Amino acid sequence: MIEDKNQQRTQLSDLGEFGLIDHLTKNFKIKHKSTIKGIGDDAAVLDFKKQIVVTTDLLVESVHFDLSYMPLKHLGYKSVIVNLSDVYAMNAEATQVTVSIAVSNRFPLEALEAIYAGIETAAKIYNIDVIGGDTTSSNTGLLISVTAIGEVDKSKSVYRNGAKPNDLLVVSGDLGAAYMGLQVLEREKEVFKVNPNNQPDLEPYTYIVERQLKPEARKDVIKLLSDLEVKPTSMIDISDGLSSEIMHLCKQSNVGCDLYENKIPLDPQVISTCEEFNIDSTTVALNGGEDYELLFTVSQDDYPKIKANPNLSVIGFIKEEKEGLHLITRADTKIPLKAQGWKNFKD
Ligand code: ADP
Ligand code: MG
């Protein structure tokens, strides 16, 4: 939120396009055997033995992120993470990404360096090769488009359409934190506008703010499931909110479901911040989005393998399609599940 007046500002035009690409990508090391040729030619060359998974996400300034509280390094990191999350949701291993970026001349070289530092960190932690991209100018804001590539054994890939009646509905981690982190950041931004000397105290909100600014993709859960020898019958990652992702799974699998309100995993910081903002925590978990947790279904036979795991919560049961989709509330009433999505939710 605070602009550092002493920060160095090197004009992008000083480097030229090729100088810029070289400068930003010089630290990237190739780690995967499947990457035959990375950055530097007209196209990258890959060689896979398995099935290939490909996914893309486009992040647009002031639609998907707000630079007044999103540090550029985090933005670079998050732009990779949101794509890896989609690869893991196929039960695949993420191996490569391409990164395309459009910037207006209000961004100096140092801004791009920060974005690439975040991309590099994500690539290191998640063991990904950055194999190419495109760099161009924009008249308005900043755009980042990442494409992620992964590989999966044919017998291991998991789609959205495999859920069966009586399967268990399972979610990793906890929900609603990224949305509540955003509420805190938006509030602090308004406070800062009124009084720029007012330094925000984010200490009570560290977990939820981090979930918004620096999300992680659940590579660990894919490994965990593989170690437990559990193959989900269907899977999706939670980018738009639990409710809409459940609806996607059920629609594509032609099934219904009962979701239990009292089983939805919530961090204590989400509960306390919801109280402070006077918002219902279940509504936040259902519609908040940007959790990047994995939602999946497993056969009841697999229950003993997952029940004791602190990373996984059984939150419901798959039903016949004709039974519909319902939330079973804490008061034990049954109400139809609705998806608002976080964009509509905000208005
Ligand atoms: P072309 O004009 O053939 O598209 P470019 O000059 O755009 O080639 O790119 C040269 C090389 O640099 C290619 O390997 C491309 O994938 C890579 N590259 C370009 N922009 C980026 C970027 N923002 N991040 C990573 N690699 C990039
Ligand atoms: Mg190009």
Side-chain angles (χ1 to χ4, degrees):
M1 276 180 216
I2 295 98
E3 272 218 36
D4 183 357
K5 301 270 173 346
N6 302 318
Q7 231 171 26
Q8 206 183 335
R9 291 180 67 91
T10 310
Q11 293 291 316
L12 290 179
S13 51
D14 293 350
L15 281 107
E17 190 192 330
F18 302 120
L20 175 65
I21 296 169
D22 277 351
H23 180 80
L24 293 174
T25 62
K26 62 177 186 281
N27 293 329
F28 291 135
K29 301 215 167 42
I30 298 298
K31 311 173 195 82
H32 288 275
K33 260 198 245 150
S34 54
T35 309
I36 306 298
K37 183 118 200 127
I39 293 169
D41 214 306
D42 296 307
V45 180
L46 306 177
D47 185 17
F48 287 102
K49 306 273 175 294
K50 302 179 182 176
Q51 287 195 338
I52 303 168
V53 175
V54 181
T55 178
T56 294
D57 261 303
L58 175 62
L59 299 182
V60 178
E61 183 178 355
S62 75
V63 177
H64 301 103
F65 56 89
D66 183 332
L67 290 178
S68 54
Y69 48 71
M70 184 69 158
L72 289 163
K73 184 172 174 184
H74 289 68
L75 177 64
Y77 191 84
K78 185 169 177 174
S79 67
V80 173
I81 295 304
V82 301
N83 280 278
L84 300 186
S85 180
D86 282 319
V87 173
Y88 300 136
M90 304 303 289
N91 207 29
E93 183 202 352
T95 45
Q96 288 91 4
V97 293
T98 63
V99 179
S100 296
I101 200 155
V103 274
S104 66
N105 54 16
R106 87 178 146 92
F107 292 93
L109 173 66
E110 288 73 18
L112 285 184
E113 283 176 346
I115 294 172
Y116 271 77
I119 292 170
E120 196 182 338
T121 304
K124 211 174 268 164
I125 292 175
Y126 287 86
N127 193 31
I128 307 291
D129 293 342
V130 181
I131 56 159
D134 203 14
T135 313
T136 185
S137 55
S138 137
N139 294 330
T140 47
L142 175 64
L143 278 95
I144 304 182
S145 171
V146 174
T147 297
I149 296 163
E151 60 181 346
V152 63
D153 274 338
K154 203 174 180 174
S155 62
K156 284 199 167 166
S157 55
V158 176
Y159 299 158
R160 294 178 178 182
N161 65 5
K164 298 277 177 297
N166 300 320
D167 281 355
L168 303 173
L169 185 65
V170 186
V171 71
S172 65
D174 55 69
L175 301 174
Y179 181 81
M180 288 319 292
L182 183 63
Q183 300 316 302
V184 168
L185 289 166
E186 296 270 6
R187 181 180 68 185
E188 296 309 323
K189 182 183 166 181
E190 293 310 312
V191 172
F192 183 78
K193 270 192 205 156
V194 176
N195 181 2
N197 295 321
N198 199 332
Q199 287 294 316
D201 176 19
L202 295 178
E203 175 63 31
Y205 311 107
T206 34
Y207 176 67
I208 60 175
V209 166
E210 177 151 325
R211 290 279 282 173
Q212 170 59 223
L213 297 181
K214 192 171 172 288
E216 303 293 350
R218 298 311 302 259
K219 179 181 183 173
D220 58 326
V221 171
I222 297 308
K223 168 143 195 326
L224 173 69
L225 291 172
S226 161
D227 291 348
L228 293 172
E229 294 179 14
V230 173
K231 186 188 170 192
T233 51
S234 70
M235 184 151 59
I236 188 169
D237 73 320
I238 302 182
S239 49
D240 291 337
L242 178 63
S243 191
S244 75
E245 314 303 1
I246 289 178
M247 294 180 111
H248 287 310
L249 275 193
C250 289
K251 188 162 185 233
Q252 294 210 19
S253 299
N254 301 310
V255 294
C257 110
D258 281 350
L259 168 67
Y260 287 81
E261 182 180 21
N262 65 349
K263 300 291 181 195
I264 298 173
L266 300 171
D267 186 85
Q269 232 172 60
V270 170
I271 296 170
S272 60
T273 315
C274 281
E275 278 167 10
E276 190 188 330
F277 278 72
N278 204 11
I279 318 180
D280 175 48
S281 56
T282 301
T283 308
V284 166
L286 289 178
N287 304 297
E290 293 200 282
D291 296 304
Y292 302 107
E293 295 295 343
L294 292 169
L295 174 73
F296 55 93
T297 53
V298 297
S299 151
Q300 297 238 6
D301 301 341
D302 286 329
Y303 180 62
K305 297 183 192 165
I306 61 163
K307 67 173 182 195
N309 199 288
N311 287 297
L312 305 176
S313 308
V314 177
I315 56 172
F317 298 100
I318 299 301
K319 299 283 196 180
E320 297 288 348
E321 185 172 28
K322 62 176 190 302
E323 297 190 54
L325 281 69
H326 293 95
L327 177 71
I328 316 295
T329 68
R330 286 196 189 89
D332 208 23
T333 51
K334 198 166 176 171
I335 57 172
L337 197 64
K338 279 186 287 199
Q340 293 173 291
W342 73 274
K343 285 183 195 85
N344 301 329
F345 183 52
K346 253 176 83 172
D347 295 337

